[in-house]
Amino acid sequence: EAGVAQSPRYKIIEKRQSVAFWCNPISGHATLYWYQQILGQGPKLLIQFQNNGVVDDSQLPKDRFSAERLKGVDSTLKIQPAKLEDSAVYLCASSLEKGVRPVSYEQYFGPGTRLTVT
Amino acid sequence: GDSVTQMEGPVTLSEEAFLTINCTYTATGYPSLFWYVQYPGEGLQLLLKATKADDKGSNKGFEATYRKETTSFHLEKGSVQVSDSAVYFCALSGYRNWGSYIPTFGRGTSLIVHP
C-alpha cells in the first residue's frame, strides 16, 4: 500500500512570495489533515477535510493560507504572501474513518515539506 | 479547547533503563489517545493507541494506559534500546458537537538512549 505522498520536500522562498504544497493521501482515506510543525514543537492542525468538505479550519490563518481538496482525493495548501514566521515543516496526513464513532483515528503521515522563508 | 501536555525533554537514558514519558490532557467527553513516534529523518508514525478509559495500548515493548480519573496517558517501556532514540508525541482525538473528531498533539519529548 502506497503511503501519503507530498511534494515538494523542500522549498526556499523570500517573504511576500507565494508557495503551494501538494498532498496525495492513501487510497480510500476519507479524511485529510494539514499540519504546521515549527521546530521544537508538535504538529498544529491547520485544516481537516472529510472527503471534499472542511471539518475544521479554526487554526488556519485565512488571510494568507488557503487549502482545497477537489474531488475528495488530493489536496493543495497555499500560502500567499509568505512571512518569516511561516518557516516550518508542513505535514499532510490521512485517516480511514468508519461508523458513527470510529474505533480509532490513526493518522498516516507523509514525509512533510520543509519551508524556509528568507 | 483541547490540550496535551508532555514532559519536557530531552530524556537521556542508558540502554536497558526504564522509561516513562508523562502525558496529561484536557478534553471534553471521551477522546481517543495516541502516542506517535518520529525517528530521525523519518515521518511520524503511530506507536500505540487507546480508545476508552482503562484501555492499555501496547506495541514494540511500549505501553500506555488511558487513565480518565487523572487525565493521563503516560508512555512506559521496561528496557530501552539505542534504536528507541526518537521524538515521542502524545495526541488525542477530541469530539466536537458537530460529529467530528479533531486531533491535538503535544509538543513532543525527545528520547536519547546511550549504549
Side-chain angles (χ1 to χ4, degrees), chain A:
Chain A
E1 173 180 82
V4 176
Q6 289 188 248
S7 67
R9 293 295 309 277
Y10 305 91
K11 190 74 177 179
I12 300 173
I13 61 172
E14 296 182 351
K15 59 183 179 183
R16 292 187 290 274
Q17 288 187 323
S18 62
V19 63
F21 312 125
W22 175 82
C23 172
N24 191 33
I26 292 173
S27 178
H29 280 195
T31 302
L32 184 148
Y33 312 81
W34 281 104
Y35 292 91
Q36 180 192 61
Q37 186 177 18
I38 293 172
L39 186 65
Q41 299 182 19
K44 171 188 163 186
L45 180 69
L46 293 176
I47 189 166
Q48 178 176 338
F49 292 97
Q50 181 159 350
N51 298 311
N52 59 352
V54 176
V55 172
D56 188 272
D57 63 357
S58 57
Q59 299 190 96
L60 186 74
K62 298 180 186 64
D63 57 334
R64 298 185 301 108
F65 287 62
S66 64
E68 61 181 9
R69 190 184 184 196
L70 299 177
K71 301 180 182 179
V73 180
D74 56 353
S75 176
T76 56
L77 176 70
K78 297 179 181 177
I79 307 174
Q80 183 178 12
K83 294 185 175 181
L84 295 176
E85 60 260 35
D86 298 333
S87 295
V89 175
Y90 290 85
L91 298 169
C92 180
S94 69
S95 67
L96 178 66
E97 299 182 10
K98 294 179 180 179
V100 175
R101 189 183 192 280
V103 174
S104 72
Y105 272 72
E106 175 180 356
Q107 297 178 57
Y108 295 82
F109 283 83
T113 298
R114 183 175 298 277
L115 174 67
T116 302
V117 182
T118 62

Side-chain angles (χ1 to χ4, degrees), chain B residues 17-31:
Chain B
F18 184 86
L19 168 71
T20 300
I21 300 178
N22 291 337
C23 171
T24 57
Y25 67 90
T26 301
T28 55
Y30 301 91

